[in-house]
Amino acid sequence: MSNSIHTIKHGQWKDYANQNKKKVMELDGGEFIRRFLLHVLPLNFMKIRHYGILSNRNKKTKLVRCKEIFNLEKEEASEARHSWEELILEIKGIDVRVCPVCKTGRMIRKEGITPKAYSPPNRIIA
C-alpha cells in the first residue's frame, strides 16, 4: 500500500471480466478510510467466531449427526462427574483435602469467596 496526498494504491485484485488479470486498485483517501471502517465493529458488538457445525445452537445434536454420517463410535456414557479434588487425586496422586501442615487432618470449606461480576466498559478509555 503506497500513500500519496490524494490517492492510495491498495493491493492487487483479479479482474475476472478481463481474463483474470491482476490490477492495482487506486482509491482516494476518503474512500479507503470508508472501506477500512466497514471492517470495524461498532461499540459493544462482538464478532462471531463459530458458525455451522461448531455454532453453539444445537451443537450436541449436530455433532451426534456428524458421528452418525461418518460411522464414528458414540462416546460411552461417562461415569458420574468427579469433583476437581477427585480428579487431581486420580491424575496427580495428590490429595488436596489433606492439611498441608500436619498431613493428617482434613481441610473443609468454611466459607466461599464469590467473584464480583464485572461487565465490559461502556466506552473505550484512551
Side-chain angles (χ1 to χ4, degrees):
M1 181 169 83
S2 65
N3 198 355
S4 67
I5 297 174
H6 299 289
T7 63
I8 296 173
K9 291 184 180 180
H10 179 64
Q12 290 184 347
W13 61 285
K14 280 187 180 182
D15 187 1
Y16 295 109
N18 195 3
Q19 291 84 30
N20 293 334
K21 290 184 180 177
K22 291 184 180 181
K23 296 183 177 180
V24 176
M25 182 180 294
E26 289 187 13
L27 301 172
D28 65 313
E31 178 63 15
F32 175 79
I33 297 296
R34 186 191 73 79
R35 289 185 182 202
F36 178 79
L37 290 177
L38 288 174
H39 298 282
V40 177
L41 293 175
L43 190 64
N44 295 330
F45 274 62
M46 184 176 293
K47 196 176 280 190
I48 297 172
R49 294 188 186 153
H50 299 290
Y51 56 92
I53 294 172
L54 297 178
S55 67
N56 285 333
R57 187 174 184 176
N58 299 321
K59 181 187 259 185
K60 289 181 182 178
T61 56
K62 289 177 185 176
L63 287 177
V64 169
R65 180 68 181 130
C66 287
K67 288 178 182 180
E68 289 173 1
I69 291 170
F70 292 111
N71 297 324
L72 296 176
E73 297 177 12
K74 292 183 179 178
E75 295 178 15
E76 296 178 9
S78 61
E79 297 175 11
R81 296 227 175 228
H82 299 292
S83 67
W84 65 273
E85 294 103 341
E86 293 168 339
L87 287 173
I88 292 177
L89 180 61
E90 182 180 325
I91 294 170
K92 291 289 205 174
I94 300 169
D95 192 358
V96 294
R97 294 172 287 196
V98 174
C99 176
V101 177
C102 68
K103 307 281 191 228
T104 55
R106 301 294 268 172
M107 296 182 66
I108 57 170
R109 179 178 293 176
K110 184 175 179 182
E111 185 178 345
I113 301 172
T114 57
K116 294 181 180 180
Y118 293 102
S119 62
N122 290 334
R123 58 188 165 84
I124 298 174
I125 302 170

